[in-house]
Amino acid sequence: MKDEKKAPKLRFKGFTDDWKQCKLGDVGQTYTGLSGKSKEDFGHGKARFVTYMNIYSNPVSDLNMVEPIEIDERQNEVQYGDAFFTTSSETPEEVGMASVWTGDEKHTYLNSFCFGYRPISKINPYYLAYMLNSQSLRRKIVILAQGISRYNISKKSVMEIPASLPSAEEQNRIGLIFKDLDQSITLYEHKLELLKRLKSSLLQNMFI
């Protein structure tokens, strides 16, 4: 792949360098989720695994959306900064959903229906999370979805997807702004839910 360089339309002041264009496989490696498990292995134990819905729902994984499982040294443990991809969905638009892990606890595994991606070059985890969920990269993933009644995507095809990497400093700035935005959204959603409950209580108790 040519080392072509580009820059986005909107940037923070002071950044002018072109962004490096590469394939995901050039800067990271994949690994599998849980394997060799039966239904009886789940629901107990001192280890834990990242759930499918956690990855499907969150660009940055919710560290609390995990479930117990027994410690198994044969399994791949997730690490800080790893990205996870869902491999199957009922629609092509929902296949290959990505989430990045920011935890550091040992004995944490990945569920069987996703695969992991570990950068071999240093990439800001928050930049990686929102880059993988950007409209431009999501379009590239949707094109690769294969199937009729259910759609799938392979690790190999995901590793061929072009990605854009700015300097480490610019990655940090971009990652921080999206992290702060998501935290603000969560805060206002919580406030909105409290106001809805208050309104419901008032409607119930302020009229005869």
Side-chain angles (χ1 to χ4, degrees):
M1 182 179 181
K2 280 187 176 182
D3 189 20
E4 298 177 352
K5 295 185 177 181
K6 299 180 180 180
K9 296 177 181 178
L10 181 63
R11 305 181 76 175
F12 288 105
K13 185 177 180 180
F15 293 102
T16 58
D17 293 341
D18 289 341
W19 289 23
K20 181 180 179 181
Q21 304 297 303
C22 60
K23 295 178 182 178
L24 286 177
D26 294 334
V27 291
Q29 300 173 338
T30 62
Y31 61 88
T32 57
L34 288 167
S35 62
K37 296 296 180 183
S38 65
K39 185 167 61 175
E40 289 72 26
D41 294 316
F42 296 91
H44 52 84
K46 294 184 178 180
R48 57 188 192 158
F49 68 93
V50 187
T51 66
Y52 178 96
M53 283 307 299
N54 190 352
I55 297 162
Y56 178 84
S57 306
N58 302 299
V60 177
S61 302
D62 183 339
L63 302 186
N64 295 312
M65 285 183 69
V66 293
E67 294 185 4
I69 194 170
E70 295 291 344
I71 294 174
D72 184 348
E73 302 297 342
R74 298 169 300 173
Q75 307 297 328
N76 294 309
E77 291 192 25
V78 307
Q79 295 181 9
Y80 177 88
D82 285 359
F84 311 132
F85 291 87
T86 62
T87 57
S88 180
S89 180
E90 294 180 354
T91 66
E93 290 77 20
E94 295 182 341
V95 77
M97 301 298 288
S99 183
V100 171
W101 185 252
T102 57
D104 58 4
E105 289 191 22
K106 292 184 177 181
H107 305 307
T108 303
Y109 312 122
L110 178 60
N111 72 81
S112 307
F113 304 102
C114 299
F115 70 86
Y117 172 79
R118 183 164 297 156
I120 54 178
S121 301
K122 189 173 182 180
I123 304 176
N124 180 281
Y126 293 96
Y127 172 81
L128 180 62
Y130 295 105
M131 184 265 286
L132 294 176
N133 284 277
S134 66
Q135 292 182 356
S136 60
L137 199 131
R138 284 297 309 158
R139 285 194 293 267
K140 296 169 186 174
I141 289 179
V142 169
I143 291 173
L144 297 173
Q146 297 181 341
I148 300 175
S149 60
R150 191 163 187 87
Y151 294 84
N152 302 281
I153 195 167
S154 69
K155 291 184 288 187
K156 183 178 179 180
S157 61
V158 171
M159 291 303 98
E160 292 295 317
I161 293 176
S164 302
L165 294 177
S167 67
E169 186 179 357
E170 192 168 5
Q171 286 184 38
N172 294 343
R173 288 289 301 276
I174 293 170
L176 181 62
I177 189 66
F178 281 105
K179 177 184 177 183
D180 288 347
L181 283 170
D182 265 356
Q183 288 178 340
S184 295
I185 290 169
T186 299
L187 176 63
Y188 282 110
E189 285 177 341
H190 178 65
K191 288 183 176 179
L192 179 60
E193 182 60 31
L194 291 177
L195 288 172
K196 286 181 177 179
R197 291 179 183 177
L198 174 60
K199 177 184 175 182
S200 177
S201 177
L202 293 175
L203 285 170
Q204 185 175 0
N205 296 292
M206 290 189 71
F207 297 92
I208 297 176

Coordinates of all heavy atoms in Angstrom, one line a residue, residues 145-200:
A145 N -18.9 -6.7 4.7 CA -19.8 -7.7 5.3 C -20.4 -8.7 4.2 O -20.8 -8.3 3.1 CB -21.0 -6.9 5.9
Q146 N -20.4 -9.9 4.6 CA -20.8 -11.0 3.6 C -21.9 -11.8 4.3 O -21.9 -12.1 5.4 CB -19.6 -11.9 3.2 CG -18.5 -11.1 2.5 CD -17.4 -12.0 2.1 OE1 -17.2 -13.1 2.6 NE2 -16.6 -11.6 1.1
G147 N -22.9 -12.2 3.5 CA -24.0 -13.0 3.9 C -25.3 -12.7 3.3 O -25.4 -11.8 2.4
I148 N -26.3 -13.5 3.6 CA -27.7 -13.3 3.1 C -28.6 -13.0 4.3 O -29.1 -11.9 4.4 CB -28.1 -14.5 2.3 CG1 -27.2 -14.7 1.1 CG2 -29.6 -14.3 1.8 CD1 -27.5 -16.0 0.3
S149 N -28.9 -14.0 5.1 CA -29.8 -13.8 6.2 C -29.0 -13.3 7.5 O -29.6 -12.7 8.3 CB -30.5 -15.1 6.6 OG -29.6 -16.1 6.9
R150 N -27.7 -13.6 7.5 CA -26.9 -13.1 8.5 C -25.5 -12.7 7.9 O -25.0 -13.4 7.1 CB -26.7 -14.1 9.6 CG -26.0 -13.6 10.9 CD -26.2 -14.5 12.1 NE -25.7 -13.8 13.3 CZ -26.4 -13.0 14.1 NH1 -27.6 -12.7 13.7 NH2 -25.8 -12.4 15.1
Y151 N -25.0 -11.6 8.4 CA -23.8 -11.0 7.8 C -22.6 -11.2 8.7 O -22.6 -11.1 9.9 CB -24.0 -9.6 7.5 CG -25.0 -9.3 6.4 CD1 -26.4 -9.3 6.8 CD2 -24.7 -9.2 5.1 CE1 -27.3 -9.1 5.8 CE2 -25.6 -9.0 4.1 CZ -27.0 -9.0 4.5 OH -27.9 -8.8 3.5
N152 N -21.4 -11.5 8.1 CA -20.2 -11.8 8.8 C -19.0 -11.0 8.2 O -19.1 -10.6 7.1 CB -19.9 -13.3 8.8 CG -21.0 -14.2 9.3 OD1 -21.1 -14.3 10.5 ND2 -21.8 -14.8 8.4
I153 N -18.0 -10.9 9.0 CA -16.8 -10.2 8.6 C -15.6 -11.0 9.2 O -15.7 -11.5 10.3 CB -16.8 -8.7 9.0 CG1 -15.7 -8.0 8.2 CG2 -16.6 -8.5 10.5 CD1 -15.8 -6.5 8.3
S154 N -14.5 -11.1 8.4 CA -13.4 -11.9 8.8 C -12.3 -11.0 9.4 O -12.2 -9.8 9.0 CB -12.8 -12.7 7.6 OG -12.2 -11.8 6.7
K155 N -11.5 -11.6 10.2 CA -10.3 -10.8 10.7 C -9.4 -10.4 9.6 O -8.9 -9.2 9.6 CB -9.5 -11.7 11.7 CG -10.2 -12.0 13.0 CD -9.4 -12.8 13.9 CE -9.2 -14.2 13.5 NZ -8.5 -15.1 14.4
K156 N -9.2 -11.2 8.6 CA -8.3 -10.9 7.5 C -8.8 -9.7 6.8 O -8.0 -8.8 6.4 CB -8.2 -12.1 6.6 CG -7.2 -11.9 5.5 CD -7.1 -13.2 4.6 CE -6.1 -12.9 3.4 NZ -6.0 -14.1 2.6
S157 N -10.1 -9.6 6.5 CA -10.6 -8.5 5.7 C -10.5 -7.2 6.5 O -10.3 -6.1 6.0 CB -12.0 -8.8 5.3 OG -12.9 -8.9 6.4
V158 N -10.8 -7.3 7.8 CA -10.7 -6.1 8.7 C -9.2 -5.5 8.7 O -9.0 -4.3 8.6 CB -11.1 -6.4 10.1 CG1 -10.8 -5.2 11.0 CG2 -12.6 -6.7 10.1
M159 N -8.3 -6.4 8.7 CA -6.9 -6.0 8.7 C -6.4 -5.3 7.4 O -5.4 -4.6 7.4 CB -6.0 -7.2 9.0 CG -6.1 -7.8 10.4 SD -5.7 -6.5 11.7 CE -7.4 -6.0 12.2
E160 N -7.2 -5.5 6.4 CA -6.9 -4.8 5.1 C -7.5 -3.4 5.0 O -7.2 -2.7 4.0 CB -7.5 -5.7 3.9 CG -6.7 -7.0 3.7 CD -5.3 -6.8 3.3 OE1 -5.0 -5.9 2.5 OE2 -4.4 -7.5 3.9
I161 N -8.3 -3.0 6.0 CA -9.0 -1.7 5.9 C -8.0 -0.6 6.1 O -7.1 -0.6 7.0 CB -10.1 -1.6 7.0 CG1 -11.2 -2.6 6.7 CG2 -10.6 -0.2 7.2 CD1 -12.2 -2.7 7.8
P162 N -8.0 0.4 5.3 CA -7.1 1.6 5.4 C -7.5 2.4 6.6 O -8.7 2.6 7.0 CB -7.4 2.4 4.1 CG -8.0 1.4 3.2 CD -8.8 0.5 4.0
A163 N -6.5 2.9 7.3 CA -6.7 3.7 8.5 C -5.8 4.9 8.4 O -4.8 4.9 7.7 CB -6.4 2.9 9.8
S164 N -6.2 6.0 9.2 CA -5.4 7.2 9.2 C -4.9 7.5 10.6 O -5.6 7.5 11.5 CB -6.3 8.4 8.7 OG -6.8 8.1 7.4
L165 N -3.6 7.8 10.6 CA -2.9 8.0 11.9 C -2.2 9.4 11.9 O -1.2 9.5 11.2 CB -1.9 6.9 12.3 CG -2.5 5.5 12.5 CD1 -1.4 4.5 12.7 CD2 -3.5 5.5 13.7
P166 N -2.6 10.3 12.7 CA -1.9 11.6 12.9 C -0.8 11.3 13.9 O -0.6 10.2 14.4 CB -3.0 12.5 13.5 CG -3.9 11.6 14.2 CD -3.9 10.3 13.5
S167 N -0.1 12.4 14.3 CA 1.0 12.3 15.2 C 0.4 11.9 16.6 O -0.8 12.1 16.9 CB 1.7 13.7 15.4 OG 0.8 14.6 15.9
A168 N 1.3 11.5 17.5 CA 0.8 11.0 18.8 C 0.2 12.2 19.6 O -0.9 12.0 20.2 CB 2.0 10.5 19.6
E169 N 0.7 13.4 19.5 CA 0.1 14.6 20.1 C -1.3 14.9 19.6 O -2.2 15.2 20.4 CB 1.0 15.8 20.0 CG 0.5 17.0 20.8 CD 1.4 18.2 20.6 OE1 2.5 18.1 20.0 OE2 1.1 19.3 21.2
E170 N -1.5 14.8 18.3 CA -2.8 15.1 17.7 C -3.8 14.0 18.1 O -4.9 14.2 18.3 CB -2.7 15.3 16.2 CG -3.9 15.8 15.6 CD -3.8 16.3 14.2 OE1 -2.7 16.1 13.6 OE2 -4.7 16.9 13.6
Q171 N -3.3 12.7 18.1 CA -4.1 11.6 18.5 C -4.7 11.9 19.9 O -5.9 11.7 20.2 CB -3.4 10.3 18.5 CG -3.1 9.7 17.2 CD -2.4 8.4 17.3 OE1 -2.7 7.6 18.2 NE2 -1.4 8.1 16.4
N172 N -3.8 12.3 20.8 CA -4.2 12.6 22.2 C -5.2 13.7 22.3 O -6.2 13.6 23.1 CB -3.0 13.0 23.0 CG -2.0 11.8 23.2 OD1 -2.3 10.7 23.0 ND2 -0.7 12.2 23.5
R173 N -5.1 14.7 21.5 CA -6.0 15.8 21.5 C -7.4 15.4 21.0 O -8.4 15.7 21.6 CB -5.5 17.0 20.6 CG -4.3 17.8 21.2 CD -4.7 18.6 22.4 NE -5.7 19.6 22.1 CZ -5.5 20.8 21.5 NH1 -4.3 21.1 21.2 NH2 -6.5 21.6 21.3
I174 N -7.4 14.6 19.9 CA -8.7 14.1 19.3 C -9.3 13.2 20.3 O -10.6 13.2 20.5 CB -8.4 13.5 18.0 CG1 -7.9 14.5 17.0 CG2 -9.6 12.8 17.5 CD1 -7.4 13.9 15.7
G175 N -8.5 12.2 20.8 CA -9.1 11.3 21.8 C -9.7 11.9 23.0 O -10.8 11.5 23.4
L176 N -9.1 13.0 23.5 CA -9.6 13.7 24.7 C -10.9 14.4 24.4 O -11.8 14.3 25.3 CB -8.5 14.6 25.2 CG -8.8 15.4 26.5 CD1 -9.1 14.5 27.6 CD2 -7.7 16.4 26.8
I177 N -11.0 15.0 23.3 CA -12.2 15.8 23.0 C -13.4 14.8 22.9 O -14.5 15.1 23.4 CB -12.1 16.7 21.7 CG1 -13.3 17.6 21.6 CG2 -12.0 15.8 20.5 CD1 -13.4 18.6 22.7
F178 N -13.2 13.7 22.3 CA -14.4 12.8 22.2 C -14.7 12.1 23.5 O -15.8 11.8 23.8 CB -14.1 11.7 21.1 CG -14.3 12.2 19.7 CD1 -13.3 12.5 18.9 CD2 -15.6 12.4 19.2 CE1 -13.5 13.0 17.6 CE2 -15.9 12.9 18.0 CZ -14.8 13.2 17.1
K179 N -13.6 11.8 24.3 CA -13.8 11.3 25.6 C -14.7 12.2 26.5 O -15.6 11.8 27.1 CB -12.5 11.0 26.3 CG -12.6 10.5 27.7 CD -11.2 10.3 28.3 CE -11.3 9.9 29.8 NZ -9.9 9.8 30.4
D180 N -14.3 13.5 26.4 CA -15.0 14.5 27.2 C -16.4 14.7 26.7 O -17.4 14.9 27.5 CB -14.3 15.9 27.1 CG -13.0 15.9 27.9 OD1 -12.8 15.0 28.7 OD2 -12.2 16.8 27.7
L181 N -16.6 14.6 25.4 CA -18.0 14.8 24.9 C -18.9 13.6 25.3 O -20.0 13.8 25.7 CB -17.9 14.8 23.3 CG -17.5 16.1 22.7 CD1 -17.3 15.9 21.2 CD2 -18.5 17.2 22.9
D182 N -18.3 12.4 25.3 CA -19.1 11.3 25.8 C -19.5 11.3 27.3 O -20.6 11.0 27.7 CB -18.4 9.9 25.5 CG -18.8 9.3 24.1 OD1 -19.8 9.9 23.5 OD2 -18.3 8.3 23.7
Q183 N -18.5 11.8 28.0 CA -18.8 12.0 29.5 C -19.8 13.0 29.7 O -20.7 12.8 30.6 CB -17.5 12.4 30.2 CG -16.5 11.2 30.3 CD -15.2 11.6 31.0 OE1 -14.8 12.8 31.1 NE2 -14.4 10.7 31.4
S184 N -19.8 14.1 28.9 CA -20.9 15.1 29.1 C -22.2 14.6 28.7 O -23.2 14.9 29.3 CB -20.5 16.4 28.2 OG -19.3 17.0 28.7
I185 N -22.3 13.8 27.6 CA -23.5 13.2 27.1 C -24.1 12.3 28.2 O -25.3 12.4 28.5 CB -23.3 12.5 25.8 CG1 -23.0 13.5 24.7 CG2 -24.5 11.6 25.5 CD1 -22.5 12.8 23.4
T186 N -23.2 11.5 28.8 CA -23.7 10.6 29.9 C -24.2 11.4 31.0 O -25.3 11.0 31.6 CB -22.5 9.7 30.3 OG1 -22.1 8.9 29.2 CG2 -23.0 8.8 31.4
L187 N -23.6 12.5 31.4 CA -24.0 13.3 32.5 C -25.4 13.9 32.3 O -26.3 13.9 33.1 CB -23.0 14.4 32.8 CG -23.3 15.4 33.9 CD1 -23.5 14.7 35.2 CD2 -22.3 16.5 33.9
Y188 N -25.6 14.5 31.1 CA -26.8 15.1 30.7 C -27.9 14.1 30.6 O -29.1 14.4 30.9 CB -26.7 15.9 29.5 CG -26.0 17.3 29.7 CD1 -24.7 17.5 29.2 CD2 -26.6 18.3 30.5 CE1 -24.1 18.7 29.5 CE2 -26.0 19.5 30.7 CZ -24.8 19.7 30.2 OH -24.1 20.9 30.5
E189 N -27.6 12.9 30.1 CA -28.6 11.8 30.0 C -29.1 11.4 31.4 O -30.3 11.2 31.6 CB -28.0 10.6 29.3 CG -27.9 10.8 27.8 CD -27.3 9.6 27.1 OE1 -26.6 8.8 27.8 OE2 -27.4 9.4 25.9
H190 N -28.2 11.4 32.4 CA -28.5 11.1 33.7 C -29.4 12.2 34.3 O -30.4 11.9 35.0 CB -27.3 10.9 34.6 CG -27.5 10.6 36.0 ND1 -28.1 9.5 36.5 CD2 -27.3 11.4 37.1 CE1 -28.2 9.5 37.8 NE2 -27.7 10.7 38.2
K191 N -29.1 13.4 34.1 CA -29.9 14.6 34.5 C -31.3 14.5 33.9 O -32.3 14.8 34.6 CB -29.2 15.9 34.2 CG -28.0 16.1 35.1 CD -27.4 17.5 34.7 CE -26.2 17.8 35.7 NZ -25.6 19.1 35.4
L192 N -31.3 14.2 32.6 CA -32.6 14.1 31.9 C -33.5 13.1 32.5 O -34.7 13.3 32.7 CB -32.4 13.9 30.4 CG -33.6 13.7 29.6 CD1 -34.4 15.0 29.6 CD2 -33.2 13.4 28.1
E193 N -32.9 11.9 32.8 CA -33.6 10.8 33.4 C -34.2 11.2 34.8 O -35.3 10.9 35.1 CB -32.8 9.6 33.6 CG -33.5 8.4 34.1 CD -34.7 7.9 33.3 OE1 -34.6 8.1 32.0 OE2 -35.6 7.4 33.8
L194 N -33.4 12.0 35.6 CA -33.9 12.4 36.9 C -35.0 13.4 36.7 O -36.0 13.4 37.5 CB -32.7 13.1 37.7 CG -31.6 12.2 38.2 CD1 -30.5 13.0 38.8 CD2 -32.2 11.1 39.1
L195 N -34.9 14.3 35.7 CA -36.0 15.3 35.5 C -37.3 14.6 35.1 O -38.4 15.0 35.4 CB -35.6 16.3 34.4 CG -34.5 17.3 34.9 CD1 -34.0 18.1 33.7 CD2 -35.1 18.2 36.0
K196 N -37.1 13.5 34.2 CA -38.3 12.8 33.8 C -39.0 12.1 35.0 O -40.2 12.1 35.1 CB -37.9 11.7 32.8 CG -37.6 12.3 31.4 CD -37.2 11.2 30.4 CE -37.0 11.7 29.0 NZ -36.6 10.7 28.1
R197 N -38.2 11.6 35.9 CA -38.8 10.9 37.1 C -39.5 12.0 38.0 O -40.5 11.7 38.6 CB -37.6 10.2 37.9 CG -37.1 9.0 37.2 CD -36.0 8.4 38.0 NE -35.3 7.3 37.4 CZ -34.3 6.6 37.8 NH1 -33.8 6.9 39.0 NH2 -33.8 5.6 37.2
L198 N -38.8 13.1 38.1 CA -39.4 14.2 38.9 C -40.8 14.6 38.3 O -41.8 14.8 39.0 CB -38.5 15.4 39.0 CG -39.1 16.7 39.7 CD1 -39.5 16.4 41.1 CD2 -38.1 17.8 39.6
K199 N -40.8 14.8 37.0 CA -42.0 15.2 36.3 C -43.1 14.1 36.5 O -44.3 14.4 36.8 CB -41.8 15.4 34.8 CG -43.1 15.7 34.0 CD -42.8 15.8 32.5 CE -44.1 16.0 31.8 NZ -43.8 16.0 30.3
S200 N -42.8 12.9 36.4 CA -43.7 11.8 36.6 C -44.3 11.8 38.0 O -45.5 11.6 38.2 CB -43.0 10.4 36.3 OG -43.9 9.4 36.5

